[in-house]
Amino acid sequence: MPVLTLFFFLSFLKICLTLQFCEDFCSPISPEVRFPFGLDGDGCGYPGFNLSCNERGQTILNLPRSGNFIVQSIDYQIQEIRITDPGNCFAERLLHNFSLSGSPFSTELNGAFSFLNCSSNFSISASLPSSARRINCLSNDNFTVVAMPTGLHGYLPPIPSCIVMENMVDVPVFWPRYPEGDSSLIWTTPDCGGCKLNGGTCGFKDAGSLDIGCFDLPSNDRGLPRSAKYGIIIGVGIPALMCIIGLGCYLCGRVRNYSRSHQSSSEVTIALANPPSILIGGLDGPTIESYPKTLLGESRRLPKPNDSTCPICLSEYQPKETLRTIPECNHYFHADCIDEWLKMNPTCPLCRNSPEVSSTATTPSLPSSASSSSLSARR
Ligand SMILES: *[C@@H]1O[C@H](CO)[C@@H](O)[C@H](O)[C@H]1NC(C)=O
Ligand SMILES: *[C@@H]1O[C@H](CO)[C@@H](O)[C@H](O)[C@H]1NC(C)=O
Ligand SMILES: *[C@@H]1O[C@H](CO)[C@@H](O)[C@H](O)[C@H]1NC(C)=O
Ligand SMILES: *[C@@H]1O[C@H](CO)[C@@H](O)[C@H](O)[C@H]1NC(C)=O
Ligand SMILES: *[C@@H]1O[C@H](CO)[C@@H](O)[C@H](O)[C@H]1NC(C)=O
């Protein structure tokens, strides 16, 4: 059952990868196949880059003149494909009909090798240069096949008990790797190495043409147009900023609620005397002190008979209390209350006239409508 699930998952993955990105594979452990390669003529490949799968889940490259090879790995960045012979004897393929002509591949380095067929009791180290190697897959108990780099101009001196099988075989190898297990082929067209290096996806620009392009580059200067970047900044940045502000407000509100609910009732007066307000700078001490004060006598005779309550703290004036009046508008308050107010607001809390600059009567209103309405109700 888990195997079946895995199978369906892999099939699904294969379909998704093929449809979306032209990425495919023959089995989970075989090399990833993507542009410029295509698998089984899926239309994803560049001409000459068709790969196929064999029944054992191996990835197969067909070279037009040489037949099938197993793909061991593909490096899309340096554009190199490592192939091996299905019979595990690459040297045998080299001696037969190995040719890259008709394919888009080449070798980075070719070596001219000589192949010798020597008798089995022949000692390589004693008779041949140290560069000679036994090719195990071609040798057996009765004879030993040796490969060694061909000397200058292909000259090979006669070697006792050996016959030359092939001289000057062009072997696609990275020196000093020997033509035994595998070979590395490279391709130069199409050139997708730079795209891969930058993290992009290489592919056909449009169907029906062989022009290639680099897509889905990660967001750097080459990747996204400026407008798209601004779009992302606006689309993501502003909502994020709003969220942060919203969260900040929420937290502030909670802190404020908390401290408000824990305030004792005796502090309400101070809270009212300091209503939250747009601070535009209050008056300095000497200016406040210059406003006229009135000390109430025992008779509580009020300067204005109808005003018996301080509009700020909403408590009645008591004998021996000190009142202060704001010049120009002639409103009275407890001196303590209006002093605190004027330290933060340069305007009269009732008529909003500024005692300092009476012309600037258009100052911002009290934000707390409740307190302002209760104040004006007592005018
Ligand atoms: C590669 O695949 C394409 C598309 O299926 C096909 O037209 C083309 O003949 C194939 N080439 C080889 C060499 O198999
Ligand atoms: C090349 O040789 C192999 C055997 O080594 C053979 O299977 C293949 O068909 C040959 N390819 C061509 C194009 O002759
Ligand atoms: C090497 O030579 C022997 C005869 O001396 C021959 O039977 C054998 O097939 C040769 N091996 C190869 C790989 O050609
Ligand atoms: C190697 O084998 C040849 C015959 O194949 C024989 O004449 C020669 O004596 C042998 N040499 C050794 C060192 O065994
Ligand atoms: C080697 O040669 C002997 C006879 O000369 C033969 O019986 C034997 O099968 C050969 N071994 C191989 C691996 O060909």
Side-chain angles (χ1 to χ4, degrees), residues 82-324:
R82 274 182 63 201
I83 56 170
T84 187
D85 174 46
N88 266 321
C89 198
F90 202 85
E92 187 176 21
R93 304 291 296 272
L94 287 171
L95 287 170
H96 275 93
N97 56 13
F98 188 80
S99 166
L100 292 174
S101 68
S103 86
F105 303 103
S106 61
T107 57
E108 197 160 50
L109 197 66
N110 281 26
F113 275 74
S114 299
F115 287 79
L116 307 176
N117 184 355
C118 307
S119 64
S120 59
N121 60 11
F122 166 81
S123 166
I124 295 175
S125 55
S127 316
L128 290 175
S130 59
S131 57
R133 275 299 148 88
R134 183 177 198 257
I135 305 295
N136 289 324
C137 68
L138 289 177
S139 306
N140 67 14
D141 292 343
N142 294 332
F143 55 88
T144 300
V145 171
V146 173
M148 62 179 199
T150 307
L152 205 59
H153 308 301
Y155 172 72
L156 200 64
I159 297 164
S161 36
C162 291
I163 50 169
V164 175
M165 298 166 71
E166 296 263 359
N167 201 1
M168 300 274 286
V169 178
D170 218 12
V171 176
V173 287
F174 285 115
W175 187 259
R177 195 191 286 160
Y178 276 73
E180 286 173 282
D182 60 7
S183 179
S184 293
L185 309 179
I186 58 165
W187 72 91
T188 51
T189 307
D191 188 357
C192 286
C195 181
K196 166 75 180 160
L197 184 67
N198 288 327
T201 305
C202 205
F204 289 122
K205 264 186 187 150
D206 53 308
S209 101
L210 289 184
D211 290 344
I212 59 155
C214 192
F215 309 99
D216 303 333
L217 278 168
S219 61
N220 52 27
D221 285 346
R222 294 179 56 193
L224 281 174
R226 189 163 297 207
S227 55
K229 269 193 275 185
Y230 286 151
I232 288 173
I233 288 168
I234 290 168
V236 176
I238 288 181
L241 196 66
M242 301 286 253
C243 283
I244 290 168
I245 290 171
L247 190 68
C249 289
Y250 172 73
L251 288 177
C252 277
R254 289 202 56 151
V255 168
R256 199 174 293 158
N257 280 347
Y258 178 83
S259 51
R260 196 172 287 165
S261 66
H262 283 249
Q263 248 170 355
S264 68
S265 53
S266 65
E267 287 173 314
V268 170
T269 312
I270 295 167
L272 252 180
N274 304 315
S277 164
I278 301 161
L279 297 181
I280 52 173
L283 303 176
D284 56 347
T287 312
I288 296 170
E289 279 305 315
S290 70
Y291 297 161
K293 279 208 264 192
T294 309
L295 184 66
L296 290 182
E298 289 291 347
S299 65
R300 252 183 7 136
R301 195 170 45 83
L302 296 167
K304 291 170 89 181
N306 292 335
D307 279 353
S308 62
T309 312
C310 172
I312 294 177
C313 65
L314 305 181
S315 57
E316 284 204 8
Y317 298 127
Q318 301 297 323
K320 302 258 176 64
E321 280 186 327
T322 309
L323 309 189
R324 197 190 290 282

Side-chain angles (χ1 to χ4, degrees), residues 308-346:
S308 62
T309 312
C310 172
I312 294 177
C313 65
L314 305 181
S315 57
E316 284 204 8
Y317 298 127
Q318 301 297 323
K320 302 258 176 64
E321 280 186 327
T322 309
L323 309 189
R324 197 190 290 282
T325 182
I326 293 179
E328 313 284 328
C329 63
N330 210 24
H331 288 124
Y332 283 83
F333 310 90
H334 279 126
D336 297 345
C337 295
I338 193 64
D339 287 3
E340 285 297 319
W341 171 269
L342 289 176
K343 277 178 199 164
M344 291 180 293
N345 304 275

Side-chain angles (χ1 to χ4, degrees), residues 344-368:
M344 291 180 293
N345 304 275
T347 57
C348 169
L350 289 183
C351 61
R352 316 222 192 293
N353 280 345
S354 171
E356 275 282 89
V357 197
S358 35
S359 60
T360 56
T362 55
T363 42
S365 64
L366 271 174
S368 166

